[in-house]
Structures are given as C-alpha cells and as structure tokens.
Amino acid sequence: MRYPCVIEPGDETHAFGVIFPDCPGCYSGGDTLEEALNNAPEALAGWMEDMMDEGFPINPPSSFDEVAKNPEYKSWIFAMVDVDLDKLSDNCLLYTSPSPRDTERSR
C-alpha cells in the first residue's frame, strides 16, 4: 500500500522533516532529502505496527493529488511511500468507509 508523505525542505542548519497526513503522529526526517526519503518507510511501518498492536485501525491512504492540494503544504516536497501490511502484524485493521451502495442497502 502506498501512502503520501510531505517533506518540509531542510537546509544547511535544518533537517528535512517528513510527515504522513493520513497517520497522525507519524514523522521522520533526515539531514538530506535522500536520507529523509530512505528513513520514511521504516517510520511508517513502525507507526503502523504500533497502531495495530494497540488495536487501532489504520486509515487508508489519501490520494497524492488530495494531499498536494492542501495549502498547508505549499512549497513542501511530496512523495509516496510503500508499506506492506502483510509483513507487519496479523491484527491489522484497515478502516474503510462504507460505499454509497452499502449505505443504500442498509436503508
């Protein structure tokens, strides 16, 4: 599964900061953009593992375009990070909203 992340640009005195909008409290970083991107999958997998171990559902990923339109991230860098949920935990709860068809059936 691919999750969008946003990266706050760093400079000579500040690290590059990585956040995952769909995963509150999940963040990473690195002294370079490359290091930040390399660290991001481990941070995401660790956050998801912790959430699953605690019995919390995992939000499905937002679309890249949806995240990129957020004015809060103007001038940030956007990327997608892969995570294999099957390699994490047996008690994964992926939250999905009901489809309109499911809503119609329940009426």
Side-chain angles (χ1 to χ4, degrees):
M1 192 168 274
R2 292 169 50 91
Y3 278 80
C5 70
V6 290
I7 305 163
E8 185 174 24
D11 57 32
E12 292 178 10
T13 57
H14 299 92
F16 288 78
V18 179
I19 64 168
F20 292 88
D22 298 310
C23 306
C26 181
Y27 56 89
S28 185
D31 290 331
T32 65
L33 177 58
E34 182 177 6
E35 186 177 274
L37 287 169
N38 286 337
N39 292 339
E42 183 178 353
L44 180 59
W47 181 89
M48 288 185 167
E49 186 74 44
D50 287 346
M51 293 293 107
M52 290 184 281
D53 287 348
E54 295 296 322
F56 293 107
I58 304 296
N59 292 323
S62 297
S63 73
F64 184 88
D65 291 338
E66 189 178 339
V67 173
K69 288 178 186 175
N70 187 331
E72 184 178 341
Y73 306 128
K74 184 179 179 182
S75 76
W76 288 36
I77 301 162
F78 300 90
M80 297 295 285
V81 174
D82 287 315
V83 64
D84 186 351
L85 296 177
D86 292 334
K87 291 184 179 179
L88 297 180
S89 176
D90 291 338
N91 20 327
C92 176
L93 300 171
L94 182 64
Y95 173 79
T96 56
S97 346
S99 72
R101 187 179 338 165
D102 293 335
T103 306
E104 289 295 320
R105 282 189 224 157
S106 66
R107 290 184 184 177

